[in-house]
Amino acid sequence: MSLRKAYLLIFLILLVDQISKIYVKTNFILGDEYPVFSWFKIHFIENEGMAWGTKIPGEYGKLILTVFRIFAVFGIGYWLYDSVKKNASSYLVVAIALIFAGAAGNILDSVFYGVIFDDSYNNLATPFSPEPYGTWFHGLVVDMFYFPIWKGDLPAWIPFFGGKRFEFFNAIFNVADVAISTGVGILLVFNKRAFPKTT
């Protein structure tokens, strides 16, 4: 796979990711939910940018996370460039491009959204607001895809979790997260094709 095609894939993912985030942010109030199907909903939340809404504590936690992710993206970008130049497997190049696009998509939120939008509490966010909700590198990542496929109480006979409320699938995510997960999935499932042994 050529570097040009990899760049095109990255651009398309970033475009869809940012369009979907900006649409949700400017048309939904934080916490709003729109049912597409009984098992799929658009549910607007924001988070610090780590998996499952976790965050680094402290005054500079968010800044540290954002700067770390920027350096990581540069590293992934070099890995992509080097892999293409070495004529690596298309499986590897596509996987790296997906991971790069996903990471870059969430970084855009973290770097820019805090100074572009006002907050989404009890009102629709306004782009280029004179009163933005944050500062550079302190933006919140927009998530919206929610698949509550099953909710209920687990049977009492199940060890440790029996009798407790359980929901599958309770994560809320975005296009960038899908790209990262798909890229990692390709590396895991097609590992031998992504990293063929050289003789």
Side-chain angles (χ1 to χ4, degrees):
M1 185 178 192
S2 69
L3 202 55
R4 184 176 180 178
K5 289 181 179 178
Y7 287 157
L8 178 60
L9 176 60
I10 291 167
F11 172 77
L12 291 174
I13 291 170
L14 284 174
L15 184 65
V16 174
D17 178 62
Q18 290 301 306
I19 288 174
S20 62
K21 288 173 176 175
I22 292 170
Y23 176 81
V24 167
K25 192 154 179 63
T26 56
N27 288 273
F28 287 68
I29 295 171
L30 195 65
D32 276 356
E33 185 174 277
Y34 176 79
V36 180
F37 302 107
S38 61
W39 47 268
F40 171 43
K41 300 176 181 180
I42 303 298
H43 184 94
F44 175 31
I45 65 167
E46 293 178 313
N47 64 64
E48 295 282 347
M50 291 180 69
W52 306 101
T54 56
K55 61 182 180 179
I56 300 174
E59 183 180 354
Y60 298 104
K62 173 63 177 176
L63 179 61
I64 291 169
L65 172 63
T66 302
V67 171
F68 170 79
R69 293 175 72 166
I70 290 172
F71 278 108
V73 162
F74 275 107
I76 297 168
Y78 177 77
W79 184 23
L80 175 63
Y81 174 82
D82 187 58
S83 297
V84 171
K85 291 302 179 185
K86 291 179 178 177
N87 293 315
S89 162
S90 292
Y91 286 88
L92 178 60
V93 175
V94 168
I96 299 171
L98 288 170
I99 295 169
F100 179 93
N106 285 335
I107 285 174
L108 290 175
D109 298 29
S110 296
V111 174
F112 298 109
Y113 278 23
V115 295
I116 292 177
F117 296 100
D118 53 8
D119 70 65
S120 299
Y121 293 97
N122 301 315
N123 59 265
L124 299 177
T126 306
F128 307 106
S129 169
E131 296 182 2
Y133 73 80
T135 57
W136 292 99
F137 298 94
H138 288 83
L140 300 173
V141 175
V142 175
D143 289 328
M144 76 287 290
F145 299 134
Y146 177 39
F147 289 83
I149 295 172
W150 184 83
K151 294 180 183 179
D153 296 321
L154 294 175
W157 54 264
I158 297 178
F160 305 110
F161 303 103
K164 295 181 180 179
R165 190 76 176 169
F166 180 77
E167 179 180 345
F168 180 84
F169 176 72
N170 67 348
I172 302 175
F173 52 95
N174 56 43
V175 172
D177 297 330
V178 173
I180 294 171
S181 299
T182 304
V184 172
I186 290 172
L187 294 179
L188 293 174
V189 176
F190 301 102
N191 184 269
K192 291 182 179 179
R193 294 185 181 184
F195 302 100
K197 293 181 178 179
T198 56
T199 55

